Amino acid sequence: MNKNYLFLAILMIILAGGLLILPERTNYTQINPEDLLWDIIQPSRYVTTDQVAKMLIEQDPTLELIDVRCAKEYNKFALPNAINIPLDSILSPNYSDYLGIEDMNAVFYCNDDILADQAWVIAKRMNISRIYIMKGGLNCWIKTIIQPTPPPETASGDEFDQYDFRKGASMYFTGASISAPKSDSKSQVTIKRKKKTTATAGGC
Amino acid sequence: MGPLIPQGIITGQWDFVIALLIGTAFGFILESSGFSSSRNIAGVFYGYNFVVLRVFFTAMIVAMVGLLYFNYLGWIEMDMVFVLPTYLAPMILGGFIMGLGFVIGGFCPGTSYTACAIGKLDGFAFLGGFIIGVFIFAEAFPLFENFYYSGYMGNITIGEVFNISNELVTFIFVIVAIVAFYVTWLIEKKVRKNRTESKFE
């Protein structure tokens, strides 16, 4: 047998054996810097607390809430059905299955925007699409959904509608049926709104 | 970096240009490996010439090992590479029919073109039969359409079926290939010794 063939056969076995002992590949596929910058300046990467509340109430199956705070804070309080992926382990293979699920809208949140924003950028660089940040985080959630403040009397009808929704959502999430007597103030609101509509109708 | 077209680095219109270049290279290598001679090709079945097995197994293991190293270095994204969908039973039958054509005609479709390119008459005869076969297949297709699409398994690879890594599959293939090279070399030596009608270098 030709010696060259023997040499080539051994080389091939060494190369193939080398594949087996190679360490796990760590170079992630990254998004283009231009695309990343373009996506970062899009306001559409934020969702409001109202949108999240609406999706939760409607039990939207495409919503995937991701809490990027540490496990301790997550155990203390978290949004319903949220999963905990602490920011420092977002690249860990344990959690890679939770990101980039087809047809799922992943919404990152933390106490404010900062951690969620970092998580968003990391996930975006990994070329994961359909990821969002809950604007204002849990602080905004408490302020707007759990303890909504009534708008001023001069506010538009939309704002009153939003307030009504938030009060309903607050009851939904806190289970506070005690707030039923507050419905008086709710009816006052509707009266005010009626006034406004007639006023505009007259103007026409 | 790669694959170039799915990543949008070059447009899909380059498809045919690349196919032409690869096709030319493929034809050149087939011809220079002696695949334009039906005696070389049919030799696999009679045991006196295993060049087909050697060339294709070599091409396969070099491509497998090369692609996995490219993937490791990030030069190609293997998850984006197109994998032909598997229809198990139809593919087994198809392989059997192709093998039958191989041993009867002494060519496979690609090598028959190589034979035509150098003006071999048996190559042209094979090509004529091949075109008639394509025509009959197309006309009779509704008869076996259900079978043609049966046993669909998706775009799977051997590693996914047996739940082992692509690296291990490659390693096993390399070992199998090298064992096959050695065994066929032994068979060839034995058969050629008993043959008197043709000589080998």
Side-chain angles (χ1 to χ4, degrees), chain B residues 84-111:
Chain B
L84 206 69
T86 300
Y87 299 88
L88 195 59
M91 279 183 164
I92 291 172
L93 184 72
F96 179 73
I97 294 171
M98 166 133 174
L100 216 59
F102 221 133
V103 69
I104 297 169
F107 290 114
C108 71
T111 55

Side-chain angles (χ1 to χ4, degrees), chain A residues 95-187:
Chain A
Y95 296 110
S96 59
D97 289 349
Y98 290 110
L99 293 170
I101 305 170
E102 211 177 326
D103 296 331
M104 288 293 262
N105 296 311
V107 178
F108 294 111
Y109 74 87
C110 57
N111 286 332
D112 39 42
D113 278 347
I114 298 169
L115 293 180
D117 236 332
Q118 292 173 3
W120 186 90
V121 172
I122 293 171
K124 196 78 209 173
R125 285 185 65 180
M126 282 153 62
N127 219 353
I128 294 166
S129 53
R130 301 183 75 156
I131 46 173
Y132 305 91
I133 298 163
M134 188 170 86
K135 183 97 185 141
L138 285 177
N139 290 338
C140 184
W141 176 266
I142 300 289
K143 220 190 289 175
T144 55
I145 305 295
I146 306 299
Q147 296 164 345
T149 44
E153 287 178 18
T154 51
S156 67
D158 286 346
E159 280 178 65
F160 279 100
D161 283 346
Q162 192 183 42
Y163 176 64
D164 286 345
F165 167 75
R166 285 174 174 179
K167 277 185 71 72
S170 166
M171 276 189 259
Y172 178 86
F173 289 113
T174 55
S177 54
I178 322 121
S179 59
K182 282 183 187 167
S183 59
D184 292 345
S185 59
K186 217 176 172 184
S187 61

